[in-house]
Amino acid sequence: MAAEADGPLKRLLVPILLPEKCYDQLFVQWDLLHVPCLKILLSKGLGLGIVAGSLLVKLPQVFKILGAKSAEGLSLQSVMLELVALTGTMVYSITNNFPFSSWGEALFLMLQTITICFLVMHYRGQTVKGVAFLACYGLVLLVLLSPLTPLTVVTLLQASNVPAVVVGRAATNYHNGHTGQLSAITVFLLFGG
């Protein structure tokens, strides 16, 4: 009877948060203070929490742009540099078979950043150019994820992500003298993540 009750819980936890030995340690033997298994549970739980939180990070900025019907203060180059950084992280993680909980936030941030790129172009009267950008980006992503791309290129792309984001944001804010449509909530969530 206990095995039947453990069935759905085990099917949910074992592939996502715990190896089977840790599930047995914590939920069968009730050793709730088993430190190695608690570390695994905490690490994967935090990773999935960050992934879930990343679903909302840039949405305030997207809504602010849509509400203002303007992308004033946003540098397309800065947003694209951030997109390059997110793409590098995601491609590197997928190429190295990292678990989704360690790179999933890059996927959701990338999708939101692509949306912002398109909106910047759209509100500058370049909607056709925005659609072409989306198509080209999709092709580049397919090539980067294919076996055609050498691992050294993927590694170099991933290694350049932090400098790209920092330089892009700092240069844009300095040049504009203000943050424009950059959402304070988005900045806070990015910092928290």
Side-chain angles (χ1 to χ4, degrees), residues 18-91:
L18 291 167
E20 190 165 352
K21 66 180 182 173
C22 284
Y23 176 86
D24 291 341
Q25 190 74 36
L26 296 172
F27 296 102
V28 175
Q29 297 175 15
W30 291 103
D31 183 7
L32 299 177
L33 299 176
H34 189 263
V35 174
C37 289
L38 286 175
K39 285 182 179 179
I40 292 170
L41 181 62
L42 181 63
S43 172
K44 288 200 175 188
L46 285 173
L48 289 173
I50 290 170
V51 169
S54 72
L55 288 168
L56 305 173
V57 167
K58 291 188 174 239
L59 285 182
Q61 186 174 14
V62 170
F63 292 140
K64 191 172 181 182
I65 294 168
L66 290 171
K69 293 185 179 2
S70 167
E72 178 191 348
L74 292 177
S75 161
L76 184 59
Q77 292 82 6
S78 176
V79 176
M80 285 191 176
L81 278 172
E82 188 173 351
L83 183 59
V84 167
L86 291 166
T87 303
T89 297
M90 190 184 76
V91 169

Side-chain angles (χ1 to χ4, degrees), residues 146-170:
S146 76
L148 299 172
T149 305
L151 186 58
T152 54
V153 171
V154 172
T155 303
L156 182 62
L157 185 61
Q158 195 276 336
S160 68
N161 69 12
V162 171
V165 171
V166 171
V167 168
R169 284 259 168 95

Side-chain angles (χ1 to χ4, degrees), residues 50 57 82 109 169 183-193:
I50 290 170
V57 167
E82 188 173 351
L109 288 172
R169 284 259 168 95
S183 168
I185 295 169
T186 297
V187 172
F188 175 75
L189 290 172
L190 284 171
F191 178 76

